[in-house]
Amino acid sequence: MNAIISASELASALAGGSPPVLLDVRWQLSVAEAAGEPPFDGRAAYAAGHLPGAVFVDLDRELAGAAGAAGRHPLPDLAEFGAAMRRAGVSSARPVVVYDGGQGWAAARAWWLLRWTGHPDVSVLDGGLTAWEGPLSTDVPTPPEGDFAPVPAAAGLLDAEGAAALARSGVLFDARAGERYRGDVEPIDRVGGHIPGAVSAPTNDNVGPDGRFLPAEELGARFKALGAADGTEVGVYCGSGVSGAHEVLALAVAGIPAALYVGSWSEWSADPSRPVAVGPDPQ
């Protein structure tokens, strides 16, 4: 199974006898929303045109729980997540392809959740909707109910304590932009900076100008240069467990397994008792 799929590969799969389930997870991090401005409306974008047969999945409501002490996008209730996936037609024996508007963060969040809860065959459309050259549709499908029942894995998920420990014993990547890692700016959370010991590894550096992932060899070289040597345990966090999922996906493309701290900086920084490092140095 490949973690990503090209637009041409997806077109061929959709034309075959056993097409994958398509999930449209268009979403955008809106800094303006923190100032009270209207957020991006993924459902409206879906209604205006989507891949034929795709079902819309709402990241905030179906791929995350309510914001609170556990962060802005904590894990969803797994029973509710499973029900949402079954409504979308997801079954364990059928491949799933997830896409978003092109940034890849939201699609990666769906990919990570499905993989972590046991789906054996999930991939992300590399480059998202912007890479698709086929027709779009405004028809809203009603797929037959799927049978997917999420069973969380024992590995692959970090809590705050686990992330702090991994920053000392292995490598913990901070997937946010460098200025947020350093604490130069913090547009959303209580305080700027990073988890002590974490290494800055911005997600945007994993893709080219077209939004598609760099070749696996280049990604592997990048992460190894940042400390992900063979045998090193790797974890990732970001602001709220969305762009961090994209970094976990990039690591998977490179053949490097990694765990995700879903609560991420939005959970870590909300507790004044937790230490905060600032500046370019991990410590």
Side-chain angles (χ1 to χ4, degrees):
M1 186 205 71
N2 293 323
I4 57 175
I5 186 171
S6 70
S8 60
E9 290 169 333
L10 177 57
S12 296
L14 291 173
S18 300
V21 173
L22 284 177
L23 303 181
D24 182 311
V25 196
R26 272 179 276 182
W27 172 90
Q28 289 180 12
L29 173 65
S30 176
V31 175
E33 185 179 356
E37 298 181 21
F40 170 80
D41 189 341
R43 191 175 294 276
Y46 168 84
H50 50 265
L51 268 64
V55 176
F56 180 73
V57 173
D58 189 312
L59 185 148
D60 290 315
R61 294 176 174 84
E62 296 173 318
L63 303 181
R72 285 192 305 279
H73 292 103
L75 287 175
D77 177 271
L78 290 186
E80 294 178 6
F81 168 67
M85 293 299 97
R86 291 189 292 274
R87 285 195 302 271
V90 175
S91 293
S92 295
R94 188 177 174 189
V96 177
V97 175
V98 191
Y99 72 91
D100 57 25
Q103 188 179 43
W105 294 5
R109 172 71 177 223
W111 168 86
W112 180 83
L113 263 174
L114 283 164
R115 292 290 296 140
W116 179 66
T117 55
H119 198 289
D121 193 349
V122 190
S123 55
V124 170
L125 175 58
D126 195 15
L129 189 65
T130 58
W132 180 252
E133 296 181 351
L136 298 180
S137 173
T138 56
D139 294 337
V140 178
T142 53
E145 183 90 358
D147 65 11
F148 179 67
V151 178
L157 176 68
L158 294 170
D159 60 11
E161 289 71 26
L166 186 57
R168 297 188 298 269
S169 65
V171 61
L172 180 67
F173 289 136
D174 185 318
R176 298 172 300 159
E179 59 268 23
R180 291 187 69 192
Y181 170 88
R182 295 189 299 271
D184 299 343
V185 299
E186 183 43 64
I188 304 175
D189 293 311
R190 185 185 67 84
V191 65
H194 57 270
I195 297 173
V199 176
S200 180
T203 287
N204 287 343
D205 291 346
N206 296 326
V207 298
D210 59 0
R212 302 181 196 186
F213 281 103
L214 300 176
E217 296 78 10
E218 291 185 30
L219 289 171
R222 180 194 183 217
F223 291 125
K224 287 181 179 179
L226 291 171
D230 291 343
T232 302
E233 190 177 356
V234 179
V236 180
Y237 76 96
C238 57
S240 65
V242 180
S243 66
H246 190 269
E247 185 117 300
V248 173
L249 176 58
L251 284 154
V253 171
I256 302 171
L260 178 65
Y261 172 26
V262 173
S264 285
W265 190 248
S266 60
E267 179 187 38
W268 182 276
S269 64
D271 184 345
S273 71
R274 293 193 180 109
V276 171
V278 295
D281 191 296
Q283 303 301 331

